[in-house]
């Protein structure tokens, strides 16, 4: 029973302490000496030069030391009153750090797996692209060779017809007429082969 009463007494003291602490904080905030520190545009140099100019340095230093002392006491009271909550939050932060570490490890593993998959996909894709371009060039080259063979055949036939004299002159003209588009086709195939 005594332990239980002691716990109640401590809790009561904590409650009284927090009420007194709120009053202390209110007093500090209302004091003109401390209100300057709460302004967003507070400038240390300006404050110091004003203190030196007013020649109340010792008084202000004493007042600031008293305020710091009160804030230290208030901070101590708050830490004592919320000790369990602070410990729970610290433990929670540690467990959260553990979870974050685990997540980072898993993200690293996932990134490694993605890199391996990328290597397995990109390399074959690049090979396919290269082979496709090579196949396109081979097809153009094969087409070019077929046209050259046809030109050689027509040229040989034309030479035979030209050796036949005037009787073969009409056939030679036909062969020459047939040869002209083949030369154009060969030039266009060569151009495509050079571009590809």
């Amino acid at each position: 029973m005594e332990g239980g009463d002691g716990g109640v007494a401590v809790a009561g003291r904590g409650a009284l302490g927090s009420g007194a602490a709120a009053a202390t904080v209110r007093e500090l905030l209302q004091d003109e000496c401390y209100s300057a520190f709460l302004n967003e545009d507070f400038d240390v140099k300006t404050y110091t030069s004003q203190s030196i100019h007013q020649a109340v340095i010792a008084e202000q230093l004493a007042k600031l030391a008293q305020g710091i002392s009160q804030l230290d006491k208030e901070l101590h009271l708050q830490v004592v009153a919320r000790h369990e909550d602070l410990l729970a939050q610290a433990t929670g932060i540690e467990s959260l750090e553990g979870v974050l570490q685990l997540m980072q490890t898993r993200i690293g593993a996932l990134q490694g797996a993605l890199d391996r998959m990328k290597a397995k996909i990109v390399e074959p894709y690049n090979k396919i692209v290269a082979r496709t371009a090579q196949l396109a060039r081979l097809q153009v080259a094969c087409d070019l060779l077929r046209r050259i063979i046809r030109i050689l055949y027509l040229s040989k036939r034309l030479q035979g017809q030209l050796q036949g004299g005037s009787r073969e002159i009409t056939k030679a003209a036909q062969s020459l007429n047939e040869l002209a588009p083949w030369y154009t086709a060969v030039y266009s195939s060569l151009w495509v082969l050079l571009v590809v």
Side-chain angles (χ1 to χ4, degrees), residues 10-24:
V10 169
R13 220 176 322 148
L16 288 174
S18 65
T24 304

Side-chain angles (χ1 to χ4, degrees), residues 1-2 9 21 27 36 38 54 64 76-77 91 107 129-130 138 155 160:
M1 283 304 250
E2 281 183 21
E27 286 174 15
L38 298 174
Q54 293 171 359
L64 286 175
H76 179 72
L77 287 172
T91 306
I107 287 170
V129 168
L138 281 172
S155 297

Side-chain angles (χ1 to χ4, degrees), residues 70-191:
Q70 285 178 337
L71 286 175
D72 281 343
K73 287 177 188 173
E74 174 58 25
L75 186 59
H76 179 72
L77 287 172
Q78 292 294 327
V79 169
V80 169
R82 292 179 172 81
H83 179 72
E84 294 298 324
D85 292 339
L86 291 172
L87 282 178
Q89 286 181 2
T91 306
I93 289 171
E94 286 178 6
S95 64
L96 184 61
E97 285 176 351
V99 169
L100 286 174
Q101 184 91 25
L102 180 64
M103 291 302 289
Q104 285 177 341
T105 304
R106 289 184 178 173
I107 287 170
L110 184 61
Q111 187 66 45
L114 283 174
D115 289 343
R116 286 192 299 277
M117 282 179 57
K118 187 176 176 182
K120 287 181 181 178
I121 292 171
V122 169
E123 189 178 333
Y125 171 77
N126 289 339
K127 283 183 180 178
I128 288 171
V129 168
R131 296 285 191 241
T132 304
Q134 190 178 23
L135 180 62
R137 287 192 294 271
L138 281 172
Q139 287 174 336
V140 171
C142 286
D143 186 48
L144 183 62
L145 285 174
R146 275 197 298 275
R147 290 176 183 184
I148 290 172
I149 289 170
R150 181 67 179 157
I151 287 173
L152 288 173
Y153 170 74
L154 289 173
S155 297
K156 196 172 189 182
R157 190 172 78 180
L158 178 63
Q159 282 178 351
Q161 290 167 345
L162 289 174
Q163 288 174 357
S166 59
R167 329 177 260 142
E168 300 283 327
I169 199 80
T170 55
K171 288 183 182 178
Q174 285 176 341
S175 294
L176 194 58
N177 190 33
E178 197 177 335
L179 258 173
W182 284 100
Y183 275 114
T184 307
V186 165
Y187 285 127
S188 65
S189 293
L190 275 171
W191 177 252

